[in-house]
Amino acid sequence: MAAPDESMNSAAVKRHPVLFRAIERRRHPKLRRGDITVTDESAVRRATKAAALGNAMEWYDFGIYSYLAATLGKVFFPSGSDTVQLLSSFATFAVAFLVRPVGGMVLGPLGDKVGRKRILSFTMILMAVGTFAIGLIPSHAVIGLWAPVLLIFFRLVQGFSTGGEYGGASTFIAEYAPDKRRGYFGSFLELGTLAGYVAASGLVVVLSSLLSDDQMLTWGWRIPFLVAAPLGLIGLYLRLKLDETPAFQKLEGGQARASEAADAVETSATGDLAEICTRYWRPLLLCIALVAAYNITDYMLLSYMPTYLSDELGYGTDHGLLILLVVMVVQMCVINQVGRLSDRFGRKPLLMTGMLGFLFLSVPSFLLIRQGSVVLIALGLLLMGLSLVAMLGTMSAALPAIFPTKVRYGSLSVAYNLSTSLFGGTTPLVITALISAFGTNLMPAYYATAAAVVGVVAVLLMKETANKPLAGSPPSVETEAEAAELVQAQSPVPRF
């Protein structure tokens, strides 16, 4: 039924006030205490830890591949020049992103139907198997063409698994966290991202310093990939110990467990790809734009930059990694505070700060980096790193809130992975090709600036969701007192 102010004139409302109040009460029934989720702090922290570890493993894998790109090019693509080897290695890096949307389209809707926990456990297994297997592939010198074929195959396995990882992990944390602290707990997901990159870069630096070039080419490069097996087992154990999210439990089996009074609570987990693309195409496009801007800058800084410093500026690989490692540690120290700030001031102000940072600071940062001084390189990377952390600490709470509960996992997985595949995973390849085509090593700055323009527009179009219940879910609070206050706030103050 349409709202009274849309379909009925004020005279009719005045003539029948009781009738229209009854209509409004039916359309917007009051919450009961049983409709409100009171979170368990220990359960929220366990869920956050399990989701963040999986994300850390995903980015550990991609970080390892990026930081070892030149070495892997020599192992699997020995013919041709150094540039051809590097392009071949980055092309294989991008291959995994081609299948990520397929993983998102398959695993995301399944997560809305069979549960977040089951799909996240499955993605953890696939991710660990794919990464571990790469460490076992014989080199091109041993099995010839089968070496790059197997590398591409297991990159596809990784890509398919990660198609269901970020959407599920961010959904998992968002649906567990209380409304007023969703930004803080969500920031731990991206803390996992940085931890994965730090672990990857740190391990590569240690191996490069301890092993000779021949040892790295022969067997040293395998060690970081083989480490994935124990990490995967730990992550799987943590995820299997968790219960389903409170929001999904209200949908499970298609039966409403909240009372009818829980306004706008979805009561069916029947979201599928067709519904997502036809009914929710507007939030899909918004999410794609946000993720494109965020991922281009993310991959440019955290994945591509060591290669840029070594191949374009002739800087030592280990030295470049060490500087980036320091920048990422600084980001890890402040990212949870960014999450808290987004809970206090809103998602949009923090996201806009990050986008504007890349819009205005990308070119100056690269001009500093091109000077070659350690201090200036560190300063340039830090300027972009602080801009990125404003997005990192906010995005994992902002994106799940765009979609309603019954299609959240599927919608976010489709949008996130499609955008990441088109713009994020191709970033190293595109930048390398652009530098070669235009002959200027400022191309990464121009590319990041263009991405920031898209991001600014997307942030302006999004709605503020901080401190509000997730769409399609009842309010989520930390204490019984907060729940009682919400119920009490709906009761009119008696007039005497």
Side-chain angles (χ1 to χ4, degrees):
M1 182 179 291
D5 58 349
E6 293 176 355
S7 61
M8 303 169 187
N9 59 47
S10 57
V13 174
K14 289 179 181 178
R15 285 197 301 269
H16 307 286
V18 176
L19 173 61
F20 286 110
R21 280 199 296 269
I23 292 173
E24 282 301 289
R25 281 197 298 269
R26 186 174 181 83
R27 293 178 68 247
H28 302 290
K30 293 181 180 179
L31 284 168
R32 300 173 188 170
R33 170 57 194 86
D35 300 327
I36 301 171
T37 300
V38 178
T39 59
D40 178 355
E41 177 82 7
S42 61
V44 175
R45 292 188 179 277
R46 287 197 304 271
T48 301
K49 185 189 303 180
L53 180 60
N55 211 46
M57 184 176 168
E58 175 186 351
W59 296 106
Y60 167 84
D61 159 55
F62 286 115
I64 284 293
Y65 196 96
S66 298
Y67 302 148
L68 290 174
T71 301
L72 293 174
K74 295 175 183 177
V75 172
F76 292 100
F77 308 97
S79 60
S81 65
D82 290 344
T83 300
V84 171
Q85 289 177 351
L86 186 61
L87 284 172
S88 299
S89 182
F90 276 138
T92 307
F93 177 81
V95 160
F97 289 84
L98 297 179
V99 78
R100 280 186 70 157
V102 178
M105 292 174 187
V106 173
L107 298 175
L110 278 176
D112 287 323
K113 292 180 179 180
V114 305
R116 285 76 161 108
K117 172 184 171 180
R118 293 180 183 178
I119 300 303
L120 283 174
S121 298
F122 179 67
T123 61
M124 179 64 76
I125 294 171
L126 276 185
M127 200 186 310
V129 169
T131 306
F132 181 75
I134 289 177
L136 299 177
I137 300 174
S139 67
H140 187 282
V142 176
I143 60 173
L145 186 61
W146 281 107
V149 169
L150 288 173
L151 176 63
I152 291 171
F153 172 76
F154 288 114
R155 288 290 295 164
L156 291 175
V157 171
Q158 291 175 323
F160 184 83
S161 70
T162 53
E165 176 61 33
Y166 183 88
S170 57
T171 293
F172 207 78
I173 294 177
E175 292 182 351
Y176 254 106
D179 296 333
K180 292 183 179 180
R181 299 182 69 195
R182 189 170 296 117
Y184 170 70
F185 285 110
S187 67
F188 280 93
L189 188 64
E190 298 298 352
L191 180 65
T193 297
L194 294 171
Y197 274 123
V198 166
S201 60
L203 186 53
V204 169
V205 168
V206 170
L207 289 173
S208 299
S209 62
L210 294 178
L211 303 177
S212 65
D213 291 342
D214 288 340
Q215 288 174 320
M216 280 295 293
L217 280 172
T218 305
W219 55 270
W221 66 270
R222 300 181 185 277
I223 295 175
F225 290 98
L226 298 179
V227 170
L231 287 178
L233 290 175
I234 295 171
L236 180 62
Y237 172 75
L238 290 174
R239 288 185 174 183
L240 288 175
K241 286 185 64 179
L242 295 172
D243 293 325
E244 270 298 348
T245 67
F248 183 79
Q249 288 181 29
K250 295 184 185 300
L251 300 178
E252 201 169 10
Q255 301 297 318
R257 298 189 183 182
S259 74
E260 183 182 346
D263 181 32
V265 175
E266 304 287 352
T267 58
S268 166
T270 59
D272 57 24
L273 191 58
E275 181 183 11
I276 288 169
C277 294
T278 56
R279 186 176 176 185
Y280 300 101
W281 62 271
R282 287 185 179 87
L284 273 176
L285 291 178
L286 175 62
C287 187
I288 288 171
L290 286 169
V291 173
Y294 150 64
N295 265 339
I296 286 174
T297 52
D298 189 329
Y299 281 84
M300 184 270 292
L301 181 62
L302 302 185
S303 292
Y304 174 73
M305 192 53 64
T307 302
Y308 176 83
L309 291 173
S310 60
D311 287 19
E312 301 300 332
L313 303 184
Y315 208 73
T317 303
D318 289 352
H319 291 89
L321 276 177
L322 281 172
I323 296 172
L324 186 60
L325 183 62
V326 172
V327 172
M328 288 189 289
V329 170
V330 172
Q331 289 178 312
M332 291 177 70
C333 292
V334 302
I335 191 167
N336 295 138
Q337 300 307 315
V338 172
R340 283 196 173 100
L341 288 174
S342 78
D343 285 328
R344 181 176 180 182
F345 297 107
R347 316 287 185 234
K348 294 184 68 170
L350 271 296
L351 289 175
M352 186 62 77
T353 298
M355 298 297 181
L356 292 176
F358 272 102
L359 182 63
F360 294 111
L361 296 179
S362 291
V363 172
S365 295
F366 271 86
L367 290 175
L368 289 173
I369 291 169
R370 287 202 312 179
Q371 302 306 308
S373 162
V374 172
V375 174
L376 294 180
I377 289 175
L379 179 59
L381 291 178
L382 187 61
L383 288 175
M384 290 189 290
L386 292 176
S387 300
L388 179 60
V389 81
M391 293 186 279
L392 282 173
T394 311
M395 198 68 77
S396 51
L399 295 180
I402 295 176
F403 304 102
T405 301
K406 73 171 185 176
V407 294
R408 180 170 297 121
Y409 195 154
S411 300
L412 183 51
S413 294
V414 170
Y416 184 88
N417 289 292
L418 182 61
S419 186
T420 300
S421 297
L422 291 175
F423 305 106
T426 58
T427 294
L429 181 63
V430 169
I431 290 177
T432 302
L434 288 175
I435 291 175
S436 178
F438 291 95
T440 172
N441 51 25
L442 277 178
M443 285 310 301
Y446 300 146
Y447 198 51
T449 301
V453 172
V454 174
V456 167
V457 175
V459 173
L460 289 174
L461 293 175
M462 70 180 286
K463 295 179 180 178
E464 182 57 72
T465 57
N467 299 310
K468 298 177 181 178
L470 292 170
S473 291
S476 179
V477 299
E478 293 185 87
T479 65
E480 290 285 350
E482 286 184 73
E485 287 177 10
L486 281 178
V487 174
Q488 183 64 32
Q490 301 174 105
S491 301
V493 178
R495 290 186 293 181
F496 298 98

